[in-house]
Amino acid sequence: MTAAATADGFVIALPYGPNTDWLKNVLASGSATIVADGATHEVDRPEVVPTSAVATAFSSADQRAHRMFKVGQCLHVQRAGTPT
């Protein structure tokens, strides 16, 4: 799984859908820690969103894979402390 950076946080594709234990844990706690490109980021405000709403955050190769495998949802999280 790869976390793709957005202007306010990250998106993570959910190829196994929204019923995975790790996702349930993030949604229940309301926060998580992401390590991306060697940096650690505290994130919060997790929200499951349609892949189509955040597709441009992913590389073209990732977008093709999402279409091929019918990945319909992503997790969007915001960097902790980012204004809403």
Side-chain angles (χ1 to χ4, degrees):
M1 244 180 312
T2 302
T6 65
D8 63 352
F10 297 90
V11 289
I12 301 168
L14 301 174
Y16 301 108
N19 293 319
T20 58
D21 288 341
W22 73 266
L23 178 59
K24 290 177 185 178
N25 291 337
V26 171
L27 293 171
S29 72
S31 64
T33 302
I34 291 178
V35 178
D37 297 324
T40 301
H41 305 274
E42 298 300 321
V43 295
D44 58 16
R45 293 170 276 172
E47 178 183 16
V48 176
V49 298
T51 301
S52 60
V54 294
T56 59
F58 294 99
S59 70
S60 57
D62 284 341
Q63 290 179 41
R64 281 191 301 278
H66 297 161
R67 286 190 300 273
M68 181 185 301
F69 294 105
K70 297 179 175 40
V71 178
Q73 296 177 309
C74 292
L75 174 65
H76 177 241
V77 290
Q78 297 181 27
R79 286 182 184 87
T82 302
T84 55

